[in-house]
Amino acid sequence: MAEKFDAIVVGAGPSGNAAAYTLAKSGLKVLQIERGEYPGSKNVQGAILYSDALERIIPDFREDAPLERHIVEQQMWILDDESYVGSTYRSAEFNKPPYNRYTIIRAQFDKWFSKKVQDAGALLICETTVSNLLLDKNRVIGIQTDREGGAIYADIVILADGVNSLLAKKAGFHPELNAGDVALAVKEIHFLPQNLVEERFNIDDEEGVVIEMVGKITQGMMGTGFLYTNKESVTIGVGCMLSDFKQQKTTPYMLLEQMKAHPAIKPLLAGSEMKEYTAHLIPEGGYKAIPKIFGDGWMMVGDAAMFVNAVHREGSNLAMTSGRLAAETVIELAKQGREMTEANLSLYREKLDDSFILKDLKKYKDLPGILHKNPQFFTTYPELVNRAAHSMLTVDGIDKKTKELEIRRSFLKKRSLFGLIGDAFKMWRAFE
């Protein structure tokens, strides 16, 4: 274990596996450390896999990857206490290979991805905790593990150890997490017979549906809910900013229980058996929350680097892409015989700037702050929109013009003309 590696990757989630696979495939000597019993052992939950990001790393992944369903339908619901207004996009194109998105079970997928990493030549050591980064002045030269004689050296250490990167914090690379930049999400997997999943969601074999939800299910907190189909189960969850949970003194579990009881959601879970529950932190602070992501002898990828697009609920694609780009940076520098200094590793940032990752995060850089300061987007507007829909769709002898006037008055009463104009401007600015 005292020997030196070209690269050490800490973590075996999507970002760590993407980095380790790309490095090993190029012929570099790679060590990957995972504290779980095996990759994916800490991730029982379902997730969404974005094909393009993985296809750029493993082009033929569809041949043997443990995929649940390919997504053919995307729904968006805006909920009040009793109803929802929704939009649906369902495409026959999404039902033609190569498929765009899949649902997966992380425990199975991470294990499969890790096998690919090992087949590419990387050495994986599990059930091992990295306690510290080894430093020579300000340069990272390796890691200290909890194993006997646990100092291991490398030219570069890639941190893929999740949103709460203790190693980066200990080394002073990562500040303490801001509770306003991190969401606490809870998920459950509810098992149903395959034929019932397909009947209930109007899908055929291997087809899948994703439902994303905003509104009163988060009780005024900044957050979203979600539900999507697996082969023989449904994954449901909700997440809100950690700072909001602290302020409201409610628990994620209580929030999820209330969400499952909503009249629009309860029938989708009827008769199911809940077998798996998990809670985890998600970095949702956006562009302004990104910490320093590289320095002398080290880089950060995935959740550790705060790479999550909360607006579009994208995470695994940012994780895998950042892992690949970090690895490609190391490969380029190694081929040129250049050291892994902070100046040279700035190439990583250049690659990120040219990618969709930072372009998308930068586009929505103001949105987290706006939503956090304006809870009406999660309470008042969902209620107004649902009541407006209810009024217009109720046939009761009242003419439509009168109903439209009442709807207009209800919006003005709740928000005022200046409030409505101000809210519209805020959202325009956030998405512009």
Side-chain angles (χ1 to χ4, degrees):
M1 294 299 294
E3 65 180 314
K4 184 179 178 183
F5 291 83
D6 294 318
I8 295 173
V9 178
V10 182
S15 64
N17 282 333
Y21 178 87
T22 305
L23 289 165
K25 197 77 173 173
S26 74
L28 294 180
K29 189 176 181 182
V30 181
L31 171 66
Q32 187 176 30
I33 300 289
E34 165 59 32
R35 65 183 174 88
E37 182 183 355
Y38 57 85
S41 62
K42 308 187 302 296
N43 297 302
V44 297
Q45 79 271 17
I48 300 293
L49 175 72
Y50 299 87
S51 304
D52 178 74
L54 183 56
E55 199 166 26
R56 291 171 188 264
I57 301 166
I58 305 176
D60 59 351
F61 77 91
R62 293 178 179 84
E63 292 181 6
D64 59 353
L67 307 170
E68 290 289 299
R69 292 179 179 273
H70 62 268
I71 306 302
V72 298
E73 182 176 306
Q74 174 85 43
Q75 299 184 28
M76 173 61 75
W77 291 4
I78 302 173
L79 301 97
D80 68 358
D81 292 323
E82 298 291 331
S83 60
Y84 76 89
V85 172
S87 64
T88 300
Y89 180 74
R90 184 165 183 145
S91 172
E93 285 190 48
F94 283 160
N95 209 14
K96 299 173 184 176
Y99 303 118
N100 181 257
R101 290 183 296 164
Y102 296 89
T103 54
I104 58 172
I105 304 298
R106 278 286 303 275
Q108 300 169 8
F109 178 79
D110 288 2
K111 206 171 183 180
W112 168 85
F113 203 166
S114 179
K115 178 66 166 53
K116 295 291 184 183
V117 173
Q118 294 171 73
D119 290 345
L123 172 63
L124 171 68
I125 300 178
C126 294
E127 297 183 280
T128 300
T129 300
V130 180
S131 54
N132 284 292
L133 296 174
L134 298 177
L135 299 172
D136 180 7
K137 297 181 180 177
N138 292 323
R139 182 184 177 85
V140 173
I141 58 173
I143 60 173
Q144 180 68 44
T145 72
D146 59 355
R147 291 174 173 256
E148 186 178 348
I152 313 172
Y153 299 91
D155 293 327
I156 184 75
V157 175
I158 298 178
L159 301 176
D161 52 341
V163 57
N164 194 21
S165 181
L166 296 177
L167 291 174
K169 282 195 287 187
K170 279 185 179 181
F173 304 150
H174 201 311
E176 285 293 329
L177 284 178
N178 181 345
D181 292 334
V182 182
L184 177 57
V186 288
K187 290 182 181 180
E188 291 180 351
I189 293 185
H190 288 247
F191 284 80
L192 286 165
Q194 181 174 341
N195 67 313
L196 192 55
V197 172
E198 291 165 0
E199 288 174 13
R200 195 164 285 181
F201 292 90
N202 189 30
I203 49 178
D204 290 329
D205 184 36
E206 298 186 356
E207 296 176 355
V209 172
V210 172
I211 305 173
E212 295 178 355
M213 312 171 205
V214 296
K216 297 188 76 175
I217 52 170
T218 58
Q219 299 178 12
M221 296 185 288
M222 178 180 165
T224 57
F226 51 87
L227 183 150
Y228 44 82
T229 56
N230 305 310
K231 281 182 182 175
E232 297 180 322
S233 63
V234 173
T235 297
I236 184 168
V238 63
C240 295
M241 304 312 289
L242 194 57
S243 56
D244 286 348
F245 276 123
K246 288 182 177 180
Q247 206 169 44
Q248 290 213 10
K249 293 182 170 52
T250 187
T251 65
Y253 178 76
M254 289 173 56
L255 198 66
L256 181 57
E257 287 301 302
Q258 291 173 10
M259 173 182 162
K260 291 189 299 181
H262 191 283
I265 299 170
K266 187 177 180 179
L268 300 178
L269 303 175
S272 66
E273 182 181 3
M274 196 278 282
K275 290 188 177 181
E276 295 178 355
Y277 172 89
T278 186
H280 62 115
L281 295 174
I282 303 174
E284 295 196 354
Y287 186 81
K288 293 180 180 179
I290 297 173
K292 185 177 180 182
I293 54 174
F294 64 91
D296 287 336
W298 66 275
M299 310 164 82
M300 282 197 294
V301 296
D303 283 6
M306 307 292 276
F307 292 153
V308 166
N309 183 341
V311 179
H312 292 276
R313 313 306 307 161
E314 295 178 16
S316 67
N317 55 334
L318 281 74
M320 291 185 290
T321 301
S322 62
R324 172 177 62 83
L325 294 178
E328 289 174 353
T329 300
V330 172
I331 293 166
E332 284 186 41
L333 295 179
K335 284 181 178 178
Q336 296 167 10
R338 298 163 67 191
E339 293 186 357
M340 304 297 162
T341 63
E342 181 173 349
N344 290 339
L345 289 172
S346 63
L347 177 62
Y348 174 45
R349 178 67 189 222
E350 292 174 16
K351 290 178 179 292
L352 287 168
D353 284 332
D354 287 338
S355 75
F356 74 92
I357 296 177
L358 291 189
K359 287 178 181 178
D360 285 351
L361 292 180
K362 194 170 185 178
K363 172 178 169 58
Y364 301 117
K365 66 182 185 302
D366 294 322
L367 188 60
I370 289 172
L371 292 179
H372 201 71
K373 294 174 183 175
N374 294 275
Q376 67 269 19
F377 291 120
F378 299 97
T379 53
T380 305
Y381 283 111
E383 185 175 356
L384 288 170
V385 169
N386 275 272
R387 294 318 300 165
H390 182 82
S391 176
M392 294 302 293
L393 294 172
T394 299
V395 180
D396 52 8
I398 300 175
D399 64 279
K400 299 299 186 285
K401 187 172 183 62
T402 298
K403 290 190 174 190
E404 288 173 3
L405 289 172
E406 284 301 316
I407 290 169
R408 195 177 308 157
R409 287 192 195 104
S410 69
F411 274 75
L412 289 171
K413 183 178 178 181
K414 286 284 188 178
R415 289 300 298 157
S416 81
L417 179 60
F418 288 111
L420 292 170
I421 293 172
D423 290 341
F425 177 75
K426 289 169 190 171
M427 295 308 288
W428 172 81
R429 191 183 70 183
F431 284 89
E432 190 266 332

